[in-house]
Amino acid sequence: QVQLVESGGGLVQAGGSLRLSCAASGRAFSSYRMAWFRQAPGKERFIVARISASGGSVYYVDSVKGRFAISRDNARNTVYLQMNSLKPEDTGVYYCAAGGPLGNYDHWGQGTQVTVSS
């Protein structure tokens, strides 16, 4: 299995940037596809970005397209989410998740709070 620890959240003004990190432990990190999810108060958790195990394929929800970038460094067992041009609607708890070959995200980080002020 893989254990995930997130960091990098905080408070930022609209238009600012944050970089989230997710450090993974486990020998099979490079075999997992990784994703970032967001959950705002009163809202369901949804996927924001996804990256394949090799890093060769990425996905973004339309609302963050062009502003966020997911990346991974398998040598460091770390996945990142660079968030630029932040908007108040980006506010929420961001979770790092790891998924196996069957598609389910079976491993989750503790979440890190991102708050974007107007």
Side-chain angles (χ1 to χ4, degrees):
Q1 292 190 355
V2 59
Q3 294 178 325
L4 308 174
V5 179
E6 297 152 318
S7 62
L11 279 66
V12 64
Q13 292 183 340
S17 298
L18 285 173
R19 189 192 196 198
L20 307 183
S21 297
C22 175
S25 61
R27 60 184 181 181
F29 173 76
S30 62
S31 297
Y32 288 90
R33 64 189 175 278
M34 303 294 296
W36 289 95
F37 287 74
R38 180 173 74 212
Q39 186 168 25
K43 305 291 186 180
E44 292 188 350
R45 188 180 302 183
F46 68 96
I47 193 167
V48 174
R50 181 182 66 232
I51 188 167
S52 63
S54 68
S57 180
V58 296
Y59 161 85
Y60 302 98
V61 68
D62 285 346
S63 60
V64 309
K65 189 88 172 184
R67 300 187 297 117
F68 290 11
I70 188 171
S71 62
R72 67 191 296 162
D73 186 342
N74 286 348
R76 293 180 176 269
N77 281 13
T78 303
V79 63
Y80 305 95
L81 185 67
Q82 178 67 47
M83 304 184 295
N84 298 324
S85 301
L86 283 162
K87 304 175 180 179
E89 49 263 46
D90 296 321
T91 294
V93 179
Y94 284 72
Y95 297 89
C96 179
L102 297 182
N104 290 334
Y105 290 98
D106 299 320
H107 308 283
W108 295 82
Q110 81 285 357
T112 184
Q113 176 71 43
V114 172
T115 303
V116 184
S117 62
S118 300

